[in-house]
Amino acid sequence: MAPGGAEASTVEDVLCATCGHRNPLGANFCSSCGSPLGAIASDTTVTLSPVDAGDLDEEAGIELPERAHGVGLLVVKRGPGAGSRYVLDAEVTRAGRHPESDIFLDDITVSRRHAEFVRQDDGYVVRDVGSLNGTYVNRERIDEVLLHTLDEVQIGKFKLAYIAAADEEEAG
């Protein structure tokens, strides 16, 4: 017993290699993002560096001039399938873990019906449709928000960069 009657903690934390969250020793999956945890030796240093929106071209191979008129684009920055592209060419594009989703994100951190991308006159809106873990835009939990080029949309552990249609920026 430590002074004051409290027990001293000798349990080491295990850092998630995906999100950097501290988990108790012996945990098999990250309690924050759901990624499998591997044993990290106590002498291992884990460094997490922030991602600047300017690094997006190099990270996911996005070239902004490739945008089409009237069609938005989502590019997976982080998560399984990094670099994958999803074209937003319908009035409503649904994202989730349901196999019939327009954007199928196969991970336990994603709800079966998680979010919708809706085309409007002034661009695309992302709307959370009652997901368990929420939908985030630029690290803020949202119910619905209008997207702008290089906004980061997080659905579960997937981080997607939104690229506006070429005519959206001309109009704005």
Side-chain angles (χ1 to χ4, degrees):
M1 285 263 193
E7 289 187 35
S9 176
T10 59
V11 176
E12 294 182 30
D13 291 335
V14 176
L15 290 178
C16 174
T18 304
C19 71
H21 182 74
R22 293 188 180 277
N23 294 279
L25 188 64
N28 293 324
F29 297 94
C30 177
S31 63
S32 177
C33 72
S35 294
L37 297 173
I40 298 178
S42 61
D43 61 347
T44 301
T45 301
V46 176
T47 304
L48 301 174
S49 59
V51 176
D52 183 9
D55 297 338
L56 187 59
D57 288 346
E58 295 173 12
E59 184 177 345
I62 299 171
E63 295 179 19
L64 295 180
E66 294 179 7
R67 297 171 293 163
H69 289 277
V71 178
L73 179 70
L74 291 170
V75 180
V76 180
K77 289 173 40 178
R78 299 265 168 109
S84 297
R85 297 171 183 225
Y86 298 99
V87 177
L88 301 175
D89 56 359
E91 292 300 314
V92 177
T93 303
R94 291 173 178 82
R97 194 168 36 94
H98 193 283
E100 294 177 11
S101 295
D102 301 311
I103 300 174
F104 176 56
L105 302 173
D106 190 16
D107 187 78
I108 194 71
T109 61
V110 178
S111 295
R112 291 175 61 76
R113 288 171 178 52
H114 200 106
E116 295 177 338
F117 296 87
V118 181
R119 184 181 348 204
Q120 296 185 344
D121 292 338
D122 54 349
Y124 287 87
V125 168
V126 62
R127 175 184 308 142
D128 186 271
V129 290
S131 67
L132 182 61
N133 291 326
T135 301
Y136 295 80
V137 173
N138 300 327
R139 298 185 179 146
E140 291 187 27
R141 191 169 183 156
I142 58 97
D143 289 323
E144 181 175 311
V145 71
L146 179 66
L147 294 171
H148 303 285
T149 293
L150 297 181
D151 277 349
E152 179 186 83
V153 179
Q154 183 171 349
I155 298 174
K157 70 178 182 182
F158 292 85
K159 290 186 179 182
L160 307 113
Y162 171 73
I163 309 299
D167 50 344
E168 276 182 54
E169 288 189 350
E170 293 168 7

